[in-house]
Amino acid sequence: MNGKITVAGLGPGSDSMMTPQVLEAIRAADAVVGYTGYMKSIAHLIPDSVQIVANGMTGEMQRAEEAFVLASEGRRIVVVSSGDAGIYGMAPLILELHASGRWPDVEVEVLAGISAFQAAAARLGAPVSHDFCAISLSDLMTPWEVIEKRIEAAASADFVTAVYNPRSRDRYWQIHRFKELFLRHRSSSTPVGIVRNVTRSDESVVLTTLGEFDPDSLDMFTVMLVGNSTTFFSGERMITPRGYFSREEPGSTPVGQSIMSGSFRAIARLMKPDGRPADERWAVMHTIHTTADFEMQELFHASPGAIRRWHEALTAGGATIVTDVTMVQSGLRKAALERYGVTVRCYLHDERVAELAKSAGITRSQAGMRLAAQEHPDALFVVGNAPTALLELASLLHRGGFAPMGVIGAPVGFVNVVESKHRLKAAAGATPIALIEGRKGGSAIAATIVNAAFSLDEAEVMNPGRDV
């Protein structure tokens, strides 16, 4: 009679999570082989007539060899692992030894088990509904250099990531490094679910974020699930949508809006985590979308809360926007302007401007801003072309008595461009501002910052194209 080894996954801990196949194999075995801790947890399931072979941690190879010796005697041997035996378990060791040809008469089968990350995911809700991976932080069998490469790959590719063996008594620093590496590629607000002793009587669940979770709170009985860029919390549930795009009926969303939403989701995945508040990050995403230039993330500067304040003021109705050139005006969302009754004015071609510019010895752009400040002191001033227009606004702010809704400065070029932005930052005081540092800018960028303020209420669902 040929012997047989059955490699069985015991599930995450509760007897109820063990498959009927595994239970039947244990009860029909001549011997059960496994780690001492696991054997204690299933002792009540093993018949008295069945031989028990157990040893401690790091004794995997010894257990595998012993299983083949027993099976070569024509006996039915069950080798047990927690969770699924093929996931960081005994299955690969048994199959590697079998492939060596040393025990040709021994049959081997593997029975599936419920992995800890599957049980943890179910407990959390639906966090692994999209592409995911599992990474063990134990470097007993894998060099840390390899593990670190896998962490970087998972983080940069936006995989939902299950973390096994996050921390032990002597192996404590790896989870800190994991967090550091993930924060290079993911937002600190990325949802994280931590489940300890899943399915057992002392199970505990923590919902937190990548930036807030405490690495020192984890141990070998913990499985951590890190969401991707679309994962969100809903009450006590952690949910990853099955797709990156909203699940709408075909044709229910205009094509342009769908394309724009998809572009913004791609931008969100590619942006570096930078700790910006949500309103400012939303505006940065608009500038990147307009330029395809991720340097905008470094060049964009805004007063704290500026975008949110402008959103509230613009959507309250009846506001005025003053632009330096008509190209900025052309870039503003017409549907948003109409919805909120916002008036846009450009003084560049006003008959009074040429006369003022000549008499005062200033540029027409400066003259236009001087007149606009007198007639619409509460407006949002948006400069996308002329640095002299921004210099004029900075001077008015510096002198005092001028407190508009805000100033957006994005002139582009070489002469007075950088200086005008420095002056605006220095003169702003309590006036909310936003600007693009350095020589870069342009009318389209200036306009898109305004559009970001208009659409801020759509930021959470990543729907910037409502008014396209």
Side-chain angles (χ1 to χ4, degrees):
M1 175 182 174
N2 293 336
K4 179 179 180 179
I5 295 176
T6 298
V7 192
L10 299 175
S14 170
D15 290 354
S16 64
M17 302 290 281
M18 196 180 303
T19 70
Q21 270 188 313
V22 171
L23 281 169
E24 182 181 348
I26 290 173
R27 289 166 180 159
D30 295 313
V32 178
V33 178
Y35 164 59
T36 302
Y38 302 153
M39 300 301 284
K40 289 180 180 178
S41 69
I42 62 169
H44 61 288
L45 301 175
I46 302 174
D48 294 338
S49 60
V50 175
Q51 180 182 354
I52 294 175
V53 179
N55 66 7
M57 293 290 288
T58 72
E60 291 87 354
M61 185 57 71
Q62 180 183 343
R63 292 198 294 272
E65 294 267 3
E66 183 68 17
F68 273 100
V69 170
L70 294 172
S72 65
E73 299 171 358
R75 305 172 72 184
R76 294 166 298 180
I77 311 302
V78 174
V79 177
V80 297
S81 282
S82 66
D84 181 276
I87 301 177
Y88 308 122
M90 289 294 294
L93 288 177
I94 295 294
L95 291 174
E96 286 177 44
L97 283 176
H98 191 244
S100 71
R102 292 165 58 192
W103 296 280
D105 296 330
V106 174
E107 180 185 350
V108 174
E109 70 170 347
V110 179
L111 299 182
I114 298 174
S115 179
F117 90 85
Q118 292 175 287
R123 180 65 180 83
L124 293 166
V128 292
S129 302
H130 206 279
D131 295 339
F132 64 90
C133 66
I135 296 176
S136 170
L137 300 192
S138 172
D139 54 1
L140 292 175
M141 297 186 178
T142 306
W144 178 253
E145 291 77 10
V146 174
I147 296 173
E148 188 157 310
K149 287 180 181 178
R150 291 171 179 172
I151 294 170
E152 286 268 19
S156 63
D158 205 33
F159 279 104
V160 175
T161 305
V163 182
Y164 278 77
N165 305 314
R167 186 176 181 275
S168 66
R169 184 183 61 186
D170 298 321
R171 188 174 39 76
Y172 59 88
W173 61 268
Q174 287 88 340
I175 185 62
H176 288 270
R177 179 61 173 160
F178 173 92
K179 181 175 182 177
E180 178 184 350
L181 293 173
F182 253 66
L183 283 171
R184 290 181 182 177
H185 303 277
R186 306 280 182 93
S187 167
S188 60
S189 62
T190 301
V192 167
I194 299 171
V195 185
R196 187 176 189 276
N197 284 333
V198 62
T199 77
R200 300 182 183 184
S201 60
D202 56 346
E203 174 188 275
S204 65
V205 177
V206 174
L207 298 180
T208 182
T209 64
L210 186 59
E212 293 295 327
F213 91 88
D214 178 10
D216 292 329
S217 69
L218 279 60
D219 60 22
M220 292 294 286
F221 301 100
T222 304
V223 173
M224 181 172 75
L225 288 167
V226 181
N228 68 16
S229 61
T230 71
T231 305
F232 63 95
F233 289 129
S234 176
E236 297 299 311
R237 301 292 188 185
M238 182 175 169
I239 303 168
T240 300
R242 288 188 63 186
Y244 275 83
F245 304 98
S246 59
R247 297 175 60 193
E248 307 224 6
E249 293 297 322
S252 65
T253 302
V255 174
Q257 183 176 343
S258 295
I259 292 173
M260 192 171 182
S261 293
S263 297
F264 268 66
R265 293 178 189 279
I267 290 168
R269 295 195 301 273
L270 294 170
M271 284 178 67
K272 300 175 183 176
D274 57 13
R276 293 179 187 267
D279 65 327
E280 190 173 326
R281 192 170 178 84
W282 184 240
V284 173
M285 291 174 68
H286 275 73
T287 64
I288 293 173
H289 179 260
T290 298
T291 62
D293 183 358
F294 279 86
E295 190 183 6
M296 288 295 146
Q297 191 170 359
E298 309 299 329
L299 299 179
F300 185 92
H301 167 83
S303 304
I307 306 302
R308 186 167 299 282
R309 289 171 65 179
W310 293 339
H311 171 74
E312 294 169 355
L314 292 171
T315 58
T320 298
I321 296 174
V322 174
T323 68
D324 65 328
V325 290
T326 55
M327 286 183 65
V328 175
Q329 185 174 358
S330 298
L332 301 177
R333 302 278 174 78
K334 303 302 182 292
L337 297 174
E338 293 173 2
R339 177 184 297 114
Y340 301 114
V342 175
T343 302
V344 184
R345 299 185 180 277
C346 178
Y347 278 71
L348 192 60
H349 301 295
D350 189 300
E351 293 179 357
R352 299 170 293 170
V353 167
E355 182 180 343
L356 176 59
K358 184 177 180 181
S359 63
I362 57 177
T363 67
R364 290 172 58 193
S365 296
Q366 282 179 280
M369 288 298 150
R370 191 171 295 182
L371 283 174
Q374 294 171 2
E375 298 179 358
H376 302 284
D378 299 327
L380 175 61
F381 288 78
V382 186
V383 178
N385 181 71
T388 56
L390 197 59
L391 287 170
E392 180 68 24
L393 292 171
S395 294
L396 292 171
L397 289 169
H398 177 66
R399 291 170 192 159
F402 176 52
M405 181 195 307
V407 177
I408 294 174
V412 60
F414 297 92
V415 180
N416 291 324
V417 171
V418 176
E419 179 186 346
S420 70
K421 296 171 183 178
H422 288 323
R423 288 196 182 192
L424 176 62
K425 287 175 70 174
T431 299
I433 65 168
L435 55 85
I436 302 300
E437 304 271 14
R439 295 189 176 94
K440 291 186 177 182
S443 297
I445 294 178
T448 203
I449 295 172
V450 180
N451 293 334
F454 271 126
S455 63
L456 183 59
D457 57 326
E458 297 291 316
E460 186 173 347
V461 293
M462 206 69 73
N463 186 22
R466 177 182 60 191
D467 295 313
V468 169

